[in-house]
Amino acid sequence: MEEQIDSVGKAFVDHYYHLFDTDRPALSSLYQPTSMLTFEGQKIQGVDDITSKLNQLPFDRCRHVISTIDSQPASVTGGIVVFVSGSIQLPGENHPLQFSQMFHLSPTLQGNLFVLNDMFRLNY
Amino acid sequence: MEEQIDSVGKAFVDHYYHLFDTDRPALSSLYQPTSMLTFEGQKIQGVDDITSKLNQLPFDRCRHVISTIDSQPASVTGGIVVFVSGSIQLPGENHPLQFSQMFHLSPTLQGNLFVLNDMFRLNY
């Protein structure tokens, strides 16, 4: 069970940042109308507004490098919390930016996981 | 509602790190047998083992300084996710250590919040 949680968390993280770096609009598939994103303190709710925010970030391309992934079951109902640290390389910047991000993945009625909670912070 | 979530998250964070810095054994009051802690990648479960881990960290005193607190409702059942960044000043160290930590607070049957999920990482 514990290994399964780690595998699901890692698979999600790999998928999420791969989409972010190569096909950012496709991230919309991971959110639902009830999803919440807090991005550097800014609160955004719902798949449409979250997708808009992510697509309007002031850089076209970036590359995430993941340092750590921690995952735990969030409840008996099949949710998972995933805690990520890593860095983002932005175009034209010499040094990558360190970040931390947490996701609370929750099952849909169909049993697929979606991002219910998403909180992102750069680390200064 | 949104302001209330922020207030609850901030009150929890103030309480948690105050206990950590001044009366670490009392942190046991915030965990339950179902609680999980992942501390720098080490997985620990249950109030007893979590309390032991926190009390056996290799420093007696420390001082947390909180930089950011983000909070969101985690579900319709009254849970909250709290995402913290800050620094820890350890005795005898010139420079504080940067850290990120996330908590998933879940209501007990009596309606009090306890720490169901806790993940801690130093930021390098």
Side-chain angles (χ1 to χ4, degrees):
Chain A
M1 178 59 178
E2 194 171 282
E3 282 180 14
Q4 192 188 339
I5 293 287
D6 283 342
S7 298
V8 173
K10 182 176 185 310
F12 167 79
V13 166
D14 289 347
H15 183 54
Y16 183 92
Y17 294 106
H18 178 72
L19 286 183
F20 202 115
D21 293 352
T22 63
D23 185 13
R24 214 183 304 166
L27 288 173
S28 63
S29 61
L30 302 176
Y31 295 93
Q32 295 273 324
T34 54
S35 299
M36 288 163 274
L37 166 65
T38 305
F39 187 90
E40 285 283 278
Q42 182 190 358
K43 296 184 177 196
I44 302 149
Q45 183 146 7
V47 55
D48 294 339
D49 287 351
I50 290 171
T51 305
S52 293
K53 173 69 185 180
L54 296 177
N55 286 320
Q56 290 169 9
L57 291 173
F59 48 86
D60 279 341
R61 286 166 167 243
C62 60
R63 191 167 67 88
H64 288 81
V65 176
I66 303 307
S67 302
T68 64
I69 305 171
D70 296 311
S71 304
Q72 292 179 355
S75 65
V76 292
T77 59
I80 299 179
V81 283
V82 184
F83 187 41
V84 181
S85 71
S87 63
I88 318 173
Q89 181 69 55
L90 298 183
E93 298 282 340
N94 286 333
H95 299 290
L97 302 171
Q98 304 297 314
F99 74 94
S100 299
Q101 189 161 11
M102 70 133 299
F103 300 95
H104 177 201
L105 309 179
S106 184
T108 63
L109 290 176
Q110 291 77 34
N112 302 311
L113 291 173
F114 75 99
V115 179
L116 176 58
N117 301 103
D118 178 353
M119 300 200 265
F120 173 92
R121 283 280 178 182
L122 293 172
N123 299 135
Y124 296 105
Chain B
M1 179 59 179
E2 196 171 281
E3 283 180 13
Q4 191 189 340
I5 294 287
D6 284 340
S7 298
V8 173
K10 182 176 186 308
F12 168 78
V13 166
D14 289 347
H15 183 54
Y16 182 91
Y17 294 106
H18 178 72
L19 286 183
F20 202 116
D21 293 351
T22 62
D23 185 16
R24 216 184 302 165
L27 288 173
S28 64
S29 62
L30 301 177
Y31 295 93
Q32 295 272 324
T34 54
S35 300
M36 288 163 273
L37 166 66
T38 305
F39 187 91
E40 285 283 281
Q42 181 190 359
K43 294 185 180 198
I44 302 149
Q45 185 147 5
V47 55
D48 293 341
D49 287 351
I50 290 171
T51 305
S52 292
K53 174 68 184 180
L54 297 178
N55 287 320
Q56 290 170 9
L57 291 174
F59 49 85
D60 280 339
R61 288 167 166 242
C62 61
R63 191 167 66 88
H64 289 80
V65 176
I66 304 307
S67 301
T68 63
I69 306 171
D70 296 313
S71 304
Q72 291 179 356
S75 64
V76 292
T77 60
I80 299 179
V81 284
V82 184
F83 187 41
V84 181
S85 71
S87 64
I88 318 173
Q89 181 69 55
L90 298 182
E93 297 283 341
N94 286 333
H95 298 290
L97 303 170
Q98 304 297 315
F99 75 93
S100 299
Q101 189 161 12
M102 70 133 298
F103 301 94
H104 177 201
L105 310 179
S106 184
T108 63
L109 291 177
Q110 291 77 33
N112 303 311
L113 291 173
F114 75 98
V115 179
L116 176 59
N117 302 103
D118 178 354
M119 300 200 265
F120 174 92
R121 283 279 179 184
L122 293 173
N123 300 134
Y124 298 106

